[in-house]
Amino acid sequence: RPATPDSLPVIGRSPHHPAVLFAFGHGHLGLTFAAITGMLIAELAAGRPTSVDISPFREDRFCALSKPTGRRVGRGPVAKVD
């Protein structure tokens, strides 16, 4: 099951392609969160404000994790620290 390093899903609009909406990374809770995620995506698609603050689910929260830290993120190789 797809999951993110912080165990929160990614929900929102692509910053590079505004017609693309993200709703993935729910891990084992996909079925549990399907209804609310569907409602949020429908609100985004309709151009309405979301009924729940989706800022904790932004895709850009991983930008800091992609920088070399010396820590393992996911299953990839450990990044080097200079």
Side-chain angles (χ1 to χ4, degrees):
R1 293 182 173 105
T4 58
D6 63 1
S7 299
L8 292 175
V10 173
I11 302 171
R13 192 174 296 279
S14 167
H16 304 291
H17 304 282
V20 175
L21 299 173
F22 297 135
F24 65 89
H26 291 77
H28 293 269
L29 298 173
L31 196 57
T32 304
F33 292 131
I36 186 68
T37 300
M39 182 181 76
L40 294 170
I41 292 298
E43 290 169 345
L44 288 171
R48 296 191 310 259
T50 55
S51 53
V52 175
D53 177 19
I54 61 171
S55 61
F57 309 112
R58 293 172 51 118
E59 103 306 324
D60 63 359
R61 70 184 190 267
F62 300 112
C63 291
L65 292 178
S66 65
K67 294 177 183 169
T69 62
R71 293 183 295 128
R72 186 178 300 274
V73 176
R75 294 186 181 178
V78 174
K80 286 182 127 183
V81 177
D82 293 1

